[in-house]
Amino acid sequence: MNPLCGRCNRVVYPTEKVNCLDKYWHKGCFSCETCKMTLNMKNYKGFDKRPYCNAHYPKTNFTAVADTPENRRLKEQTKMQSQVLYKEEFEKNKGKGFSVVADTPEMQRIKKTQDNISNIKYHEEFEKSRMGGEAPPHQPSTPTSAGYQQAAPSQNFHYEPTPEPVRQAAAAAPPPSAQKRYRAVYDYAAADEDEVSFVDGDMILEVQQIDEGWMYGRVERTGQRGMLPANYVEAI
C-alpha cells in the first residue's frame, strides 16, 4: 500500500516519493512551511518534523528571567544545597583512595623500629645543639652502655627534659647474665648502624633486654654487638 503525503495527505507513488523527516512527500509538496519554496534533500532544514528553508528556519530564543529577590533567594538556596551535597560526597568517599596495609607482626616491628630511629635521631640532634656541635656516641662499646648518654644540664639556659628514647631503657636494666644464651631462629639483616646482623643458628651472648620487642647482645660467630629483635631469637 502506498503511503500518504505529509502535506496534502494524498497517496504518494514511488516515482514522486520523497522520504524525509519520518514522512513521505510529493516532490512538489516538500516545500518550506513559511515561504512555500520547493526544497530538496540538500537545502532543507527540519524543525519539529517540518521542512524549512535556511531563511525561515525557526530561531531558538531564550527566556529572560527577572532578577527579583525571590529568584536571588532560590539561587542562593540552590548554591547552598550544592555545597552540602559536595561535602556529603567528600566525607563518604574520604579515604577510599588509599590502600589498606595488613597489620602483621612484621609490619608492627618495622613501624616500631622507625619510631625508635626517629626518637633517637631527634635526641641526637637535641644533644648536639646543647653540646655545641658534639654529638653523643652512636655505637655503644659495652653492653652496659647500650643506652645513649645524657649530657649534663646546660648552665646557660633552662630547658625542659625531653622524653628518653625507647632504647635508652637499657641503661637501667640489670647486667647481662653470662649463663643465659640465645640462639637465632631466623636470619636478620641490620636496618640501622646500632643493630647487628645474624643468620639462623647463630649464638647470641651477653644478652640484655631493652623492651618487649628489642634486646642488646653479641653475636658469637662475628663478635659484633648491637640491637636485635627479640622475636628472632630463642633462649637456650
Side-chain angles (χ1 to χ4, degrees):
M1 180 182 237
N2 295 323
L4 301 179
C5 178
R7 184 177 301 280
C8 66
N9 205 24
R10 295 181 181 177
V11 176
V12 180
Y13 295 100
T15 56
E16 56 180 356
K17 181 172 63 176
V18 176
N19 184 5
C20 188
L21 299 175
D22 296 336
K23 295 180 181 180
Y24 295 96
W25 314 78
H26 294 104
K27 292 182 180 179
C29 293
F30 190 64
S31 58
C32 176
E33 290 286 326
T34 303
C35 64
K36 307 303 178 184
M37 181 182 73
T38 302
L39 303 172
N40 54 43
M41 299 298 292
K42 295 182 180 180
N43 62 1
Y44 86 97
K45 287 190 175 182
F47 181 83
D48 197 18
K49 295 187 178 182
R50 290 289 178 180
Y52 290 89
C53 65
N54 187 46
H56 297 100
Y57 182 75
K59 302 295 188 298
T60 303
N61 297 323
F62 298 95
T63 304
V65 179
D67 189 15
T68 61
E70 179 65 18
N71 287 335
R72 288 197 295 269
R73 185 188 68 80
L74 293 175
K75 181 180 178 182
E76 290 296 328
Q77 184 176 359
T78 303
K79 184 177 179 181
M80 292 176 61
Q81 290 176 351
S82 299
Q83 293 177 353
V84 170
L85 291 176
Y86 170 77
K87 290 180 179 179
E88 289 180 355
E89 290 295 329
F90 176 78
E91 293 295 333
K92 186 186 299 183
N93 297 324
K94 185 167 60 175
K96 290 185 177 180
F98 299 95
S99 301
V100 179
V101 180
D103 190 16
T104 61
E106 182 65 17
M107 293 300 298
Q108 293 178 358
R109 188 194 68 77
I110 294 174
K111 183 176 182 298
K112 198 168 187 179
T113 303
Q114 292 174 349
D115 293 340
N116 292 339
I117 293 172
S118 299
N119 290 335
I120 292 172
K121 288 183 178 179
Y122 170 78
H123 184 70
E124 288 179 353
E125 292 296 330
F126 178 77
E127 295 295 338
K128 185 176 181 180
S129 64
R130 289 175 49 208
M131 298 296 292
E134 181 181 355
H138 190 72
Q139 179 73 20
S141 57
T142 62
T144 56
S145 62
Y148 292 94
Q149 299 178 359
Q150 181 177 0
S154 174
Q155 299 178 358
N156 298 328
F157 61 91
H158 177 73
Y159 73 100
E160 292 292 334
T162 57
E164 296 296 331
V166 177
R167 294 181 181 177
Q168 206 165 359
S177 174
Q179 290 78 17
K180 196 156 188 179
R181 298 159 62 91
Y182 287 79
R183 182 177 63 243
V185 294
Y186 303 104
D187 295 347
Y188 180 73
D192 202 357
E193 296 178 1
D194 60 347
E195 296 181 7
V196 65
S197 301
F198 51 85
V199 297
D200 184 9
D202 278 349
M203 302 301 298
I204 312 298
L205 308 178
E206 302 175 7
V207 176
Q208 186 175 0
Q209 192 71 31
I210 304 301
D211 55 28
E212 62 179 4
W214 289 88
M215 55 177 58
Y216 183 88
R218 177 174 63 87
V219 181
E220 184 180 30
R221 179 176 56 85
T222 61
Q224 295 181 347
R225 305 173 186 269
M227 308 289 296
L228 58 127
N231 58 346
Y232 276 60
V233 297
E234 64 180 3
I236 301 177

